[in-house]
Amino acid sequence: LELVYQMWNNKVVNDIYEPGSTCKIVTTAIAMEEGISGLADRFNCQGQITVDGQTIKCHKDGGHGDQSFAETLQNSCNPAFVSLGLRIGKSSFINYFEEFGFLDLTGCDMLGESKTYYYGTNNSQFGRVELATYSFGQSFKTTIIQQLRAVSVVANGGYLVTPHLGKYLTDDDGNITHTFEYETDRQVISSSVAESIVDILYGGINTGSTKNAAVEGYSIAAKTGTSQKLDILDRTAYVSSCVAFAPAEDPQVAIIVVVDEPTVHDFYGGLVAAPVVSSILSEVLPYLGIPRSGEAEHETITVTKMIGKNTADAIKAVESLGLEYRIVGNGLTVVDQMPRSGTA
């Protein structure tokens, strides 16, 4: 019976997860809408930040150093977003948390939708540390559909829009016989702020973790996330994700891919989830009749075999392909690699 129930489970609406860095889109939107921070500001990341005795680290060893407001989102810099969260403050953050729909069910027509599990339902005190971790998408859980709905506010011109299963009905000849009408829930942020954030996300597609979400001939705005499961004993359990909107200049499609506990060595959303987003959009966008641009914006490179090579030779081989690299561990010989040989 348990296996039957598992077959009926719809992870999109039934299960909840810690969204991680895709939630930085929301924090960015709040900061810009409230005038707390903006495109002209700069941040300095030294690799970590301490809040009430709790040290929160950046994913980049040594930190990102001096960076622009846009780069904090493109770099997915935790210390910068902790600073933003603390500037926003508890009261304002809670208000926007509700405005972005996290405290209600989405009403997306699918059965068994779960509620967000947050500070108000887990009996914890919402203090500065919680505010800090919420700012980069940790310490609360929500559904995949809820997260996609919230971050899509920036793609919808600032409006919170409820996703539905049906758009219209047709007869056997393809004639529309009934059109479903849905109300737009509410405007959460201004259209100008929404457009600015989409531009930031699109601008970051050539850098950092969203590179692998790119689709040749299309403008993609994307954000990746890698969250740690904080409510289980296994501290090596992660959730990798990537959210994207396309085309960036006039978003028609929103997509989120969430990989629960990836088993690969490099579990980051940019390596695990982003390539799936790229693969799906490369078929969806042409299917919808959205034309490609005249020029290819990204070059496709096939990864060669590095396993067995001397580390120095492997570095030269990677650089000759025009790729960046990161070495995990010590030693003179490469024993594993990600992406695998042959991966485009």
Side-chain angles (χ1 to χ4, degrees):
L1 184 60
E2 183 179 348
L3 292 176
V4 172
Y5 284 143
Q6 289 179 6
M7 289 174 60
W8 289 343
N9 186 50
N10 183 349
K11 292 183 74 69
V12 173
V13 295
N14 300 153
D15 293 356
I16 55 177
Y17 79 113
E18 294 190 65
S21 292
T22 58
C23 230
K24 290 172 180 171
I25 295 173
V26 173
T27 305
T28 301
I30 299 171
M32 293 186 72
E33 185 67 21
E34 289 296 299
I36 291 166
S37 191
L39 298 176
D41 293 341
R42 302 196 69 81
F43 293 79
N44 190 283
C45 170
Q46 299 299 318
Q48 63 183 39
I49 187 171
T50 301
V51 180
D52 291 352
Q54 298 293 320
T55 299
I56 298 171
K57 294 184 177 181
C58 182
H59 66 84
K60 182 178 181 181
D61 291 339
H64 290 98
D66 181 66
Q67 54 190 334
S68 68
F69 179 81
E71 287 171 336
T72 63
L73 184 58
Q74 294 165 354
N75 293 334
S76 199
C77 178
N78 281 353
F81 275 87
V82 169
S83 297
L84 280 179
L86 295 177
R87 290 187 199 177
I88 292 168
K90 174 182 175 179
S91 177
S92 184
F93 195 95
I94 291 174
N95 289 338
Y96 274 99
F97 196 72
E98 182 173 5
E99 284 297 300
F100 274 89
F102 286 113
L103 304 192
D104 302 311
L105 298 180
T106 67
C108 63
D109 308 326
M110 289 183 275
L111 299 176
E113 188 177 356
S114 297
K115 292 183 178 180
T116 297
Y117 189 77
Y118 67 111
Y119 69 94
T121 55
N122 62 13
N123 298 317
S124 69
Q125 181 182 359
F126 190 72
R128 281 167 48 85
V129 174
E130 286 75 22
L131 177 59
T133 55
Y134 270 49
S135 69
F136 57 89
Q138 291 267 192
S139 302
F140 72 93
K141 286 188 169 186
T142 193
T143 61
I144 293 174
I145 193 70
Q146 185 71 275
Q147 180 66 6
L148 183 59
R149 181 194 188 207
V151 297
S152 290
V153 164
V154 302
N156 287 319
Y159 287 88
L160 184 73
V161 177
T162 295
H164 291 282
L165 295 176
K167 186 175 183 180
Y168 52 78
L169 300 178
T170 66
D171 59 23
D172 292 340
D173 297 322
N175 300 310
I176 296 177
T177 59
H178 179 76
T179 300
F180 296 100
E181 299 292 340
Y182 305 111
E183 292 184 3
T184 297
D185 289 16
R186 56 181 174 269
Q187 186 168 13
V188 180
I189 58 174
S190 66
S191 59
S192 60
V193 167
E195 291 172 5
S196 294
I197 296 174
V198 172
D199 288 344
I200 291 172
L201 295 173
Y202 172 54
I205 199 71
N206 291 310
T207 61
S209 62
T210 59
K211 287 180 180 178
N212 289 330
V215 180
E216 187 173 320
Y218 290 102
S219 53
I220 310 296
K223 181 74 188 79
T224 61
T226 308
S227 58
Q228 187 177 26
K229 290 189 173 183
L230 300 177
D231 57 347
I232 62 176
L233 293 176
D234 185 0
R235 284 293 180 260
T236 64
Y238 291 88
V239 177
S240 304
S241 62
C242 180
V243 63
F245 317 115
E249 63 273 11
D250 182 24
Q252 302 296 309
V253 177
I255 178 175
I256 187 169
V257 169
V258 178
V259 182
D260 190 8
E261 296 190 21
T263 56
V264 293
H265 179 73
D266 280 337
F267 48 79
Y268 299 103
L271 294 174
V272 177
V276 183
V277 167
S278 174
S279 178
I280 295 172
L281 288 181
S282 67
E283 297 186 28
V284 169
L285 296 174
Y287 175 81
L288 293 177
I290 299 173
R292 294 179 183 271
S293 63
E295 299 180 1
E297 297 181 359
H298 297 85
E299 180 184 0
T300 300
I301 301 171
T302 300
V303 179
T304 56
K305 184 178 179 181
M306 303 295 167
I307 297 175
K309 288 182 179 290
N310 177 278
T311 304
D313 293 337
I315 290 173
K316 292 179 181 178
V318 171
E319 291 178 338
S320 70
L321 292 172
L323 300 174
E324 297 176 357
Y325 65 90
R326 183 167 64 91
I327 297 174
V328 179
N330 301 300
L332 300 177
T333 304
V334 178
V335 296
D336 200 0
Q337 72 179 78
M338 180 64 67
R340 299 296 182 190
S341 175
T343 301

